[in-house]
DNA sequence: TAGTTTAGTTGACGTAGATCAACTAGCCAG
DNA sequence: CTGGCTAGTTGATCTACGTCAACTAAACTA
C-alpha cells in the first residue's frame, strides 16, 4: 500500500546500486560534495574513490577499533553506526542515508570509534583518508570541505545531546521523523512518504528510549492524525505539527 | 581549607595569565599541539596566534551566530560553551580547561553554533581560522592535527550522548569528576584536589540533570566516603570507586 | 501447513529523577 | 550589623518513562 523505497531489486543499469560510475555524474554529489569543488577537482577526487560490491543487510563496513583507513559515502541503502561502551551496552550513534558520509570518527585515534552496518542492501563509496589528506594539501576547497563536514557533525551531535538530555519522548521521535523527512527532501524523494530503514529497537536506542515507548509514541501520533504507520512505512500527515512538537522546549 | 586554584591574583611575571609569550615555551603545548608539529612549524603557528587581555568572569569569547573567525585555546582559567535551542532553553555543551581548544563548531556554517563565556578570569589564545587553513595547506602535520582535533571532539560528543541517554545520575556525575581529574593530571595538577570552576546549575545542565539531583548525588558520594565537597572545592578520596561507577553499564 | 522465531504492540505497575518548597550560608550594600 | 541576594542543600511528592508480561502478526523452516 505504501511504497517508497528506491532500493528493491538491484537489476538493471538504472539501479542506484550500480549507477554513478563517477562522482561527476552522481546525482548525490550535491549532497556529498556541496559547492566546494570545481569540475576538475571532482575528477581528481574521483580517481581515489573506490566503489565496491553492494553490501547485504547486516554486513559491516567497519568495526569499532579497526584500523582507520577510509571514510565512506552512502550511495544507496542505509547504514547504522553504533558503539559499545565499556559496560557492553550498544549505543546507536547515527543513521546514514544516501549522500551522507560516515567513518570520520576514526581520524582522531587512527581507529574507528564505532561500528557501521548496512540496515538494508547498500552501495557504498570508499574514500581512503590518506588520499583525502594528500588532496586536501593541494586543493584548498577540498580541505575546507572536510573541515566543514567534521564541524557539522560536531554541531549535529551537540544538538542530539540536547535532544536526548532535555526533551520528552514525543519531542525526540518527532525530531527524528522531521529529520528523515528533510533528508528525503534533499534527495528529491517525498518528504511525506517515508520508509524507515531501521528497527524500533534502533530508533529507541538512538533516541535514548525503550522500544515500548517508541511504539507507544508512534501509536499516539497516529491516533492524533499526525502520521500513518505500517511497520516501516510511514506517511506523514501533518509535518508542521511534528515540527512544532520537535522544537518544543521541554 | 582546600586550595587548588592556580588562578587567583594575576600579578607577577610568573602568573599563568601572562606567561607563555609564545607556543614553543608554553607548558601547555603538549596538550594543545600534541606530537604533531616540528619545532620550526611551531614557530610558524606562533606567528598567527593572538594573545589578548585576560577575560573576566562572565565575559564572552564569542556568541552563538557570531561570524566564525577563530578557534581559541584556553591558557588559564576555564570556559563554558553553551547553545540556545529554538525553544529557548540553554544547553551547556562543554567545559574547556587550560590547553583545550574550542570554537571549532563554527567551521561548518561560518557561524559559531554556541556561545563561550569565561567561568573565571581566563587567559585565551586566539587562532584565526583562515591562517590555520593556509598553514594546513603547507604543513601536512598541521592539517592532520586539526583533522584529529575535530574528530576527537566528535568521539567525545558521542560518548556524552551515551552518558546522558543511558546512564544514571550517579554514573553521569562520577564520569564528570573522573574526566576533570584526568584533565588535571594531564596538566600536572593534582588529580585528587579539584577546584570545580562551574556552578551546580552548569553541571546539571551539562549532564542532563537538575541542580537538586546534582546536589543530592554529591552528598551521597560524600556520605559514602568517595569525595569531600566544600562548595567548589572537591577532594577525591576514592578515584577507583568513581571510575567503576562511571563505567558501570546502566 | 503447522510450528517456531522475530518484530512490534499494548497494558499494568514500579521507580529514578523532576518538581515544588522550605531552609541555610555566604556575601555585598548601606 | 542588618537586610536582601545568590548558590546550594534537603525533604516531600509527582510523573514520564522503564520494566515486566501477555499478546499479535509476519516470515522462516522443515
Amino acid at each position: 500500500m505504501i511504497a517508497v523505497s528506491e532500493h528493491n531489486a538491484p537489476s538493471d543499469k538504472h539501479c542506484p546500486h550500480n549507477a554513478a560510475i563517477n562522482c561527476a555524474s552522481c546525482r548525490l554529489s550535491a549532497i556529498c560534495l556541496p559547492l566546494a569543488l570545481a569540475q576538475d577537482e571532482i575528477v581528481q577526487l574521483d580517481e581515489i574513490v573506490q566503489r565496491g560490491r553492494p553490501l547485504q543487510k547486516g554486513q559491516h563496513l567497519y568495526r569499532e577499533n579497526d584500523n582507520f583507513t577510509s571514510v565512506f559515502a552512502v550511495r544507496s541503502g542505509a547504514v547504522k553506526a553504533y558503539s559499545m561502551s565499556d559496560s557492553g551496552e550498544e549505543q546507536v550513534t547515527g543513521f546514514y542515508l544516501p549522500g551522507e558520509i560516515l567513518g570520520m570518527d576514526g581520524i582522531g585515534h587512527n581507529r574507528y570509534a564505532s561500528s557501521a552496518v548496512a540496515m538494508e542492501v547498500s552501495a557504498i563509496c570508499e574514500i581512503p583518508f590518506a588520499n583525502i589528506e594528500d588532496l586536501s594539501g593541494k586543493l584548498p576547497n577540498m580541505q575546507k570541505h572536510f573541515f566543514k563536514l567534521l564541524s557539522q557533525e560536531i554541531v549535529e551531535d551537540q544538538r542530539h545531546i540536547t535532544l536526548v538530555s532535555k526533551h520528552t519522548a514525543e519531542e525526540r521521535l518527532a525530531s527524528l521523523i522531521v529529520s528523515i523527512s528533510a533528508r528525503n527532501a534533499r534527495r528529491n524523494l517525498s518528504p511525506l512518504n517515508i520508509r524507515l530503514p531501521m528497527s524500533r529497537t534502533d530508533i529507541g536506542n538512538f533516541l535514548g528510549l525503550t522500544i515500548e515507548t517508541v511504539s507507544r509514541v508512534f501509536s499516539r501520533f497516529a491516533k492524533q492524525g499526525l502520521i500513518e504507520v505500517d511497520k516501516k512505512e510511514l506517511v506523514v500527515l501533518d509535518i508542521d505539527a511534528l515540527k512544532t512538537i520537535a522544537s518544543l522546549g521541554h
Side-chain angles (χ1 to χ4, degrees), chain A:
Chain A
M1 156 202 185
I2 310 167
V4 192
S5 174
E6 59 175 10
H7 331 296
N8 289 317
S11 54
D12 69 4
K13 65 177 176 180
H14 296 304
C15 168
H17 296 300
N18 303 316
I21 36 33
N22 62 63
C23 294
S25 72
C26 179
R27 73 192 164 78
L28 292 168
S29 66
I31 301 171
C32 187
L33 315 166
L35 16 119
L37 297 183
Q39 198 57 37
D40 60 319
E41 296 175 335
I42 294 183
V43 173
Q44 291 188 61
L45 171 64
D46 204 66
E47 276 163 19
I48 66 175
V49 173
Q50 299 166 11
R51 300 173 188 81
R53 292 285 77 217
L55 244 64
Q56 294 306 305
K57 177 173 175 168
Q59 283 189 309
H60 275 76
L61 212 42
Y62 52 83
R63 287 175 194 269
E64 201 169 338
N65 294 321
D66 279 0
N67 275 317
F68 169 72
T69 55
S70 305
V71 300
F72 299 86
V74 179
R75 193 135 46 88
S76 69
V79 172
K80 160 182 94 163
Y82 65 96
S83 62
M84 222 73 170
S85 72
D86 309 347
S87 32
E89 345 107 71
E90 190 175 312
Q91 167 75 45
V92 173
T93 53
F95 301 121
Y96 296 86
L97 304 181
E100 298 173 351
I101 290 183
L102 71 157
M104 296 185 298
D105 60 20
I107 300 170
H109 299 287
N110 284 313
R111 304 189 162 270
Y112 293 104
S114 57
S115 304
V117 63
M119 295 187 292
E120 52 189 40
V121 176
S122 301
I124 304 291
C125 299
E126 174 170 0
I127 319 171
F129 190 67
N131 294 331
I132 291 179
E133 287 186 312
D134 266 12
L135 212 48
S136 291
K138 287 180 245 160
L139 307 178
N141 281 338
M142 183 70 131
Q143 187 192 69
K144 194 173 289 238
H145 178 56
F146 276 91
F147 277 142
K148 272 181 197 284
L149 278 181
L150 283 155
S151 172
Q152 283 163 8
E153 184 144 345
I154 291 171
V155 173
E156 268 166 48
D157 285 347
Q158 290 178 350
R159 268 203 256 282
H160 196 62
I161 290 170
T162 305
L163 192 70
V164 298
S165 80
K166 303 244 194 319
H167 290 252
T168 64
E170 303 208 346
E171 288 158 6
R172 294 183 212 185
L173 191 60
S175 177
L176 179 65
I177 296 171
V178 169
S179 165
I180 293 179
S181 168
R183 288 145 83 189
N184 262 20
R186 207 164 62 141
R187 300 189 274 139
N188 301 311
L189 296 183
S190 165
L192 302 182
N193 295 302
I194 297 173
R195 167 156 228 282
L196 299 170
M198 69 293 279
S199 68
R200 298 288 190 271
T201 304
D202 287 336
I203 293 175
N205 190 314
F206 180 65
L207 296 177
L209 299 171
T210 57
I211 179 178
E212 292 96 329
T213 299
V214 172
S215 185
R216 277 186 255 269
V217 175
F218 268 127
S219 302
R220 223 174 299 154
F221 282 170
K223 204 164 295 171
Q224 295 170 234
L226 306 182
I227 59 173
E228 265 173 38
V229 229
D230 176 35
K231 301 202 49 167
K232 308 206 158 181
E233 304 294 343
L234 181 66
V235 181
V236 176
L237 301 175
D238 190 344
I239 188 74
D240 291 328
L242 289 175
K243 282 181 182 164
T244 304
I245 294 170
S247 64
L248 233 50
H250 163 51

